[in-house]
Each structure stands twice: as structure tokens, then as C-alpha cells.
Amino acid sequence: MTKPVVLVTSATGRIGKELVARLSQAGEFTVRACYHSESKVADLKAVGADETVFFDLNDAATWDAALEGVSAIYSASLDPMLEGHLNFCKELGNRTDSIKHVVRVSCMGADTNTASYEADQHSSREGASIPLMLQHYWWGEKALIDAGLNLTVLRNNFFMNHLLKTDCDNIAQEGWFTNPLGNARNSFVATRDIAEAAAVVLSEGPERHGNKFYDITGPQPQTMAEIAADLGRAMDKEIEYRPQSMESFEADFGATRAEFFEYLVNGFYCRCSPDFYNLTGHKPTSYYDYLTTKGASGETGLEELWQGNLWKKAKTP
């Protein structure tokens, strides 16, 4: 029998390529991986993609070829691509007869279908609103719900390596990193765990996971000193955490990222969710294990740390 086709958007990203590898190894789907740059095709084939297709959320002319014969979709997009994602969701709503399941990557903290968040009510600061970045994640979910699709959402904590990518040069050359998180504890999540959860949900399908919303976190809330210790042990060198004021951080990276980091500082992402265990039957990956062991795509977290980063100092996406 012909295997169902799953479309993996953002397939060249940290979660996407790990998901492609896991789905390929399981062998239940024909895995169609999306790329935006021709130079990435060989890499996608190397981790197991059966098919590759050019795909651009901002170019509707690329959608038909990507969606032909597809019955399941892994949906992920960067915040600057929100408008394209919202338009794409409308198109998916026209194809509910063929598209049976969508798994969306999101973030904990701004939904209104499973909770009662008010957009203008900050969790800890009077007179402020929920960070716009979190509202965008919810809009991305809501567009798929409104389109009438069988949806599963993975609401993830902050990625383990994402907070360090802006200091990769300092880490490699001088052995230190900085941010405003200090002694705040956060249960940072490994991108490979998100991919594993997505693979399970896609395999088991909408009959079990349709209209389900899972919080995916790490196994332990950690401070920046503890993160520095784990990173130093993995790199076999001394790594220092240098505290930074929120004002300085905002000057470096802009208000959008600073608003999000404020939630990390105030403990909003401290808790450890059981959802990953309930999906997979085992604990999430610890930060040290993520750094020092290979995922399905063949990379360690330490190797992944040095790869591309959206946020640059003095710039906003």
C-alpha cells in the first residue's frame, strides 16, 4: 500500500531536520521535506527525506506542489513569517477533505482556548500586556483551529540552546555568555524532544491526538550558573555566566525579545510538564545529555549550538 505523505515545513530547522530523520527511520510516512534554499536539499536527503520541495509561506504559488497528496503536516514558522502562516492556514482550510492532521509548534503562554489569558494583562507587571511574541504564537494556533483542521499543538518551553546562540563567539573565544536570567529557573527544552513528540503525535494520528495541546518542557528547571556548568563540562573548559540588566539586554536585542525574556525571569517557564513523558514513555532530555549525545539527525546539541541564529545584537527580525 502507498504510505501517507507528511509535509514537514521548516524542515531545515533544528526541530524539522530531527523530525525528518525520526519519521524516515520509523518508515510509516512518505516524508516530504520543505526547503527554501537549494543548498539544503542534500542535507535533507541525508537525514532521510523521501521527497524535497521548495516552499515559501509568503509565495502562494509554491503551495500546490508542496501540498499535493499530503494527508498530514508538521507546521512551524518563525515569528516574522506570521502573516504568511495565517494565509497558508486559510488555504489548508480549503483542503480538509485531504489533510487529516496538522501538528503545530507553538509556545506556552498566550492561548485562550485552553486557558483564559487576557491580551492586555501581563502575568507579573501592572499595566503591561502579554508579550506580543506570545500573542503571535496563539494567533498561529487559532488560524488552524478556525480553518477547521484536526490540530495538535506542541506548546514548548524556551529551547535549550536558543538563549546562548547570541553569545556563541564569546563562548568559543572567551568562555563566557550573558543575559538577564540570573538565578531564575527555567525548564529549557531540547529541540530533539520536540521532534520526538511531533513524531509520536503524527504516527498515532488525529484519532488519539486531535484537538490536544501539549506543554513540552525540559526535565529540570535550571539557573544560568547551572547552564554554564553543564556547558563547561560538555566543552571541557570553564564557562562563565555574566549577569546582564534587562535594560542592557533590551538595548542589545529590542523590546520584542526583552518582553519574552521578562517571562523567563519571572518564573513563568519554571514548571516541568509531564506531557512529554505521557507521549513518549520517558523523561525529557537533560541539558548536559542534549549537549553530549546525538539525536536522530546525527548531531549533538553542542554541534547544534554553533548553527544559525535569528537574533543578532542591535537587530530585530
Side-chain angles (χ1 to χ4, degrees), residues 9-20:
T9 69
S10 298
T12 59
R14 295 184 289 278
I15 304 169
K17 64 186 175 185
E18 183 77 8
L19 177 60
V20 168

Side-chain angles (χ1 to χ4, degrees), residues 59-129:
D59 184 0
T62 68
W63 299 351
D64 280 345
L67 292 171
E68 184 179 359
V70 165
S71 62
I73 298 174
Y74 164 81
S75 170
S77 55
L78 297 172
D79 198 57
M81 305 293 288
L82 177 62
E83 183 177 357
H85 167 70
L86 299 181
N87 291 330
F88 185 59
C89 291
K90 294 175 183 177
E91 176 59 25
L92 296 184
N94 297 327
R95 300 174 184 246
T96 54
D97 57 334
S98 57
I99 297 173
K100 305 303 182 184
H101 195 194
V102 177
V103 177
R104 174 69 178 171
V105 167
S106 189
C107 181
M108 299 187 299
D111 61 285
T112 58
N113 66 326
T114 62
S116 299
Y117 291 103
E118 298 290 340
D120 59 355
Q121 185 177 332
H122 198 278
S123 66
S124 62
R125 184 155 53 92
E126 190 69 29
S129 60

Side-chain angles (χ1 to χ4, degrees), residues 34-280:
C34 295
Y35 67 87
H36 198 264
S37 170
E38 190 77 31
S39 64
K40 300 292 187 179
V41 171
D43 292 338
L44 291 172
K45 291 288 188 179
V47 296
D50 299 299
E51 303 171 4
T52 58
V53 62
F54 178 77
F55 178 74
D56 185 345
L57 276 173
N58 290 329
D59 184 0
T62 68
W63 299 351
D64 280 345
L67 292 171
E68 184 179 359
V70 165
S71 62
I73 298 174
Y74 164 81
S75 170
S77 55
L78 297 172
D79 198 57
M81 305 293 288
L82 177 62
E83 183 177 357
H85 167 70
L86 299 181
N87 291 330
F88 185 59
C89 291
K90 294 175 183 177
E91 176 59 25
L92 296 184
N94 297 327
R95 300 174 184 246
T96 54
D97 57 334
S98 57
I99 297 173
K100 305 303 182 184
H101 195 194
V102 177
V103 177
R104 174 69 178 171
V105 167
S106 189
C107 181
M108 299 187 299
D111 61 285
T112 58
N113 66 326
T114 62
S116 299
Y117 291 103
E118 298 290 340
D120 59 355
Q121 185 177 332
H122 198 278
S123 66
S124 62
R125 184 155 53 92
E126 190 69 29
S129 60
I130 288 177
L132 184 60
M133 188 182 295
L134 293 186
Q135 295 185 54
H136 284 180
Y137 276 112
W138 165 238
W139 298 350
E141 294 182 33
K142 186 175 185 299
L144 291 162
I145 295 170
D146 290 347
L149 295 151
N150 285 319
L151 177 65
T152 308
V153 177
L154 304 178
R155 292 174 175 161
N156 308 300
N157 205 328
F158 202 81
F159 298 173
M160 284 179 170
N161 271 342
H162 195 42
L163 78 161
L164 303 183
K165 283 183 175 292
T166 52
D167 272 326
C168 280
D169 290 343
N170 293 334
I171 292 169
Q173 298 166 16
E174 301 181 32
W176 61 270
F177 66 90
T178 186
N179 62 49
L181 301 189
N183 291 324
R185 292 186 178 275
N186 292 279
S187 57
F188 304 109
V189 65
T191 49
R192 72 176 61 152
D193 284 355
I194 303 168
E196 182 177 355
V200 169
V201 166
L202 284 164
S203 174
E204 295 179 348
E207 296 79 15
R208 183 165 183 175
H209 298 289
N211 194 33
K212 295 291 189 297
F213 301 80
Y214 300 112
D215 289 348
I216 309 298
T217 73
Q220 178 185 22
Q222 291 183 285
T223 67
M224 288 301 95
E226 291 163 348
I227 290 291
D230 279 348
L231 181 60
R233 185 156 62 109
M235 295 181 68
D236 196 25
K237 64 183 287 187
E238 189 74 20
I239 300 295
E240 177 190 1
Y241 165 67
R242 297 181 180 179
Q244 182 181 23
S245 71
M246 187 62 75
E247 293 76 16
S248 173
F249 183 81
E250 182 169 348
D252 282 345
F253 299 107
T256 299
R257 189 164 174 85
E259 287 175 353
F260 188 85
F261 264 61
E262 184 178 3
Y263 267 42
L264 293 168
V265 170
N266 68 25
F268 192 89
Y269 296 102
C270 176
R271 73 182 182 89
C272 296
S273 167
D275 288 350
F276 180 82
Y277 182 94
N278 291 337
L279 287 169
T280 67

Side-chain angles (χ1 to χ4, degrees), residues 17-25 46-48 192 195-196 293-300:
K17 64 186 175 185
E18 183 77 8
L19 177 60
V20 168
R22 285 186 172 276
L23 292 174
S24 173
Q25 291 166 16
V47 296
R192 72 176 61 152
E196 182 177 355
T293 61
K294 293 182 177 181
S297 61
E299 292 179 335
T300 66

